[in-house]
Structures are given as C-alpha cells and as structure tokens.
Amino acid sequence: MNASVSRTLRNRVAKGLNTIIMAFLSLLLLSPMLWMISTSFKKPKDVFTYPIQWIPLNPVMTNHIKVWTTGDGFLMFYLNSLKISVTLMILAPLLAALAAYGFSKIEFRGRNQIFFLYLCLMMIPQQVLFVPKFIMFDWMHIYNTHWALILPGLFSVFGVFMIRQFFLTIPQEISEAAFIDGAGHILIFTRMFLPLSKPVLATFAIIDFTWNWNDYENALIFLIDKKLYTVPIGMQNFMLEAGVDYNLMMAAATAGVVPLLIVFFLGQKYIIQGFSSSAVKG
C-alpha cells in the first residue's frame, strides 16, 4: 500500500514538474509576441525602459488607431489578404482532396510513378520558378493581379500528400461495397470520403491560410499596384513610412497576427486529429 502511494506521489510530482517546465518554455517562446503586443500599447518613451514593462503602466490606443488611419491604412491590405487567403483556404483543400482520391483509390497504370514525380515538385525551390511564372503570367495578362497569387496557390503538393495518406487509412472494402451498390467515384468521394476527412481537410485549410497570409515573396514579385498589396507587403510599406517608430511597427505587426490567431483557435481541435490521421502508413 505504501509503495503504491509512493508511486502515485512520484507520478504526480513528475507531472507537476513537467507542467512547470512546459509552461516556462511556452512563455519563453511566446515572449517576443508578448513584447510585440505590449509595445503596441506603449508610448514612445516607454518602449526601451528597463526592466521591461510587460504590462504598460499607461496603455494607449493611439498606435492602433494610427495603423488604420495613417497613410494608406491597413483596411485595404487586410481585405486583399482575406480575399486571397480565404479563397485558397476553401478551394485548395477541395482540389487537393480530388487529386488525393485519384492517387489513393483509383487504379491506373503508372499511378505510383506519377505520384512520385509529383512529390518531386516539393524539392524544387520556389525561387527557381519566379522567372517562368513571370513569363507565363505576363502572357496570360494576369501579372499585377490577385490571380497571379490565387491560381498557383490552388495546387498544393503537400496538401495532396497529406490527404492521400489519410485516404489510404480508409479500408478499400468501403469503396468496393459502394461500387456494388451502384455508386460512382463522384458519389463515393462526396458522400463518403469528404465527410470522413473533415479533420485532415480542416488541418490543411489552416496551414494553407497561414502560408498564404504570410506569403511575402510572391506578393513582392507579382504585385506592383499598391491597391493590390497584401498584409506582408503593406506592413513593409508601412514600416518604411513609420521609420523608427517602434510603437507603430508593433501595432501593425499585432494587427497582422490577429487573423492567424483567430483561424488557429477556431480550428486547433482539428490539427492533432488531422496530423495523426494522415500519418504515413507503414
């Protein structure tokens, strides 16, 4: 009895220590973001005070108001980023799921070889494709439009791979039984596979939204008109205008992080389910 109580006590102490260590590491990793948020509510004279004022003694909203009202404002950049990111968050998982279904459940000659070549695209640096994309977009007359970011973003090699791994975990007997009942591939995909793959689709949608919201290089190269700028380019433009005003910079950065936090907290319950269900099949 004493041994059992001692073992239980040791387990509780170990769990408590693990909790304390993980909490400390989490705060350590979050400290830059906490400083960013804190600074966005400070006056210029309080930015570099030591010791650091994690909670401003005299918080002000002036910095956040200036972000949205000074110069071009962030509203236009926000609307452009939302237009691109939300569109791709909806369409990219659907197209990836269609391709994943074909690579996992439809038998055709050379399927595995084609999928291997498809995966090889993940090894090509995106910077190598900038010149071919520029030539192609100029020929298609979509250069300096949001289509230059939306069309390439519709196709994700990572999304196809991730969803395909999940589809491989679904027993083939389910599809065969549906075929016997007279269902076709479209019906099986829409009525069976899509409802079963909600966790992995939601996970990929969150990842895709994050990628596109933070996409800096493509927006920098393929967008010229300031009215088309997304949040990353708009933030750079704003920081150049603000100079060394760290308060405004941190307020702008805080505004840029808010949509990511909202999307993450709304879909966080799907992330672990999605990754665990799409784990590589041994």
Side-chain angles (χ1 to χ4, degrees):
M1 185 66 181
N2 292 333
S4 177
V5 172
S6 177
R7 185 166 52 251
T8 302
L9 182 60
R10 285 197 302 270
N11 291 336
R12 290 181 177 179
V13 171
K15 289 181 180 179
L17 290 175
N18 289 334
T19 302
I20 294 173
I21 293 172
M22 295 304 297
F24 172 77
L25 293 177
S26 299
L27 288 175
L28 189 64
L29 293 174
L30 290 174
S31 58
M33 188 175 71
L34 295 176
W35 184 85
M36 174 188 71
I37 297 173
S38 174
T39 304
S40 68
F41 290 99
K42 292 179 181 179
K43 297 178 181 179
K45 64 178 182 179
D46 297 329
V47 173
F48 295 109
T49 56
Y50 185 84
I52 298 174
Q53 297 178 5
W54 293 102
I55 300 177
L57 298 178
N58 300 302
V60 294
M61 288 296 298
T62 309
N63 301 318
H64 291 273
I65 295 175
K66 285 183 179 180
V67 166
W68 298 96
T69 58
T70 303
D72 297 314
F74 257 51
L75 180 60
M76 179 175 61
F77 304 144
Y78 255 65
L79 293 177
N80 291 336
S81 286
L82 285 175
K83 170 187 173 183
I84 296 171
S85 301
V86 173
T87 300
L88 293 176
M89 184 177 66
I90 296 172
L91 296 180
L94 179 60
L95 292 177
L98 284 168
Y101 178 82
F103 281 124
S104 61
K105 298 301 178 181
I106 299 178
E107 295 286 346
F108 56 90
R109 181 176 298 179
R111 183 185 69 176
N112 294 332
Q113 290 77 8
I114 294 175
F115 182 69
F116 174 77
L117 294 176
Y118 188 71
L119 288 181
C120 289
L121 295 175
M122 296 179 67
M123 295 183 287
I124 301 177
Q126 291 299 310
Q127 292 79 5
V128 176
L129 303 177
F130 284 153
V131 173
K133 282 183 179 180
F134 176 84
I135 297 173
M136 182 174 63
F137 293 161
D138 185 61
W139 174 75
M140 296 173 64
H141 302 289
I142 63 173
Y143 179 72
N144 193 33
T145 68
H146 287 157
W147 287 110
L149 302 182
I150 293 175
L151 288 180
L154 290 174
F155 308 98
S156 171
V157 179
F158 170 76
V160 174
F161 171 77
M162 181 179 181
I163 300 173
R164 174 184 176 271
Q165 296 307 115
F166 172 79
F167 284 168
L168 290 176
T169 63
I170 299 178
Q172 187 67 25
E173 290 78 9
I174 296 178
S175 301
E176 294 175 353
F179 276 121
I180 294 175
D181 291 336
H185 285 297
I186 295 179
L187 190 62
I188 294 174
F189 175 75
T190 56
R191 296 291 183 86
M192 297 176 60
F193 279 76
L194 281 184
L196 291 174
S197 58
K198 285 181 181 179
V200 69
L201 290 176
T203 301
F204 174 61
I206 295 171
I207 296 173
D208 193 68
F209 181 89
T210 304
W211 281 345
N212 292 294
W213 185 269
N214 292 324
D215 188 6
Y216 175 79
E217 289 183 336
N218 287 293
L220 178 65
I221 293 174
F222 300 124
L223 299 179
I224 299 177
D225 192 349
K226 186 177 291 187
K227 294 181 179 179
L228 299 174
Y229 280 0
T230 56
V231 167
I233 303 299
M235 285 182 61
Q236 182 197 41
N237 183 71
F238 180 82
M239 290 177 182
L240 291 175
E241 292 179 355
V244 292
D245 195 335
Y246 294 102
N247 306 74
L248 291 181
M249 290 182 186
M250 294 302 103
T254 301
V257 169
V258 169
L260 298 177
L261 294 177
I262 293 174
V263 170
F264 175 78
F265 283 118
L266 289 177
Q268 62 177 328
K269 66 179 181 179
Y270 295 107
I271 293 180
I272 296 177
Q273 298 178 26
F275 276 116
S276 60
S277 61
S278 60
V280 179
K281 200 175 181 183

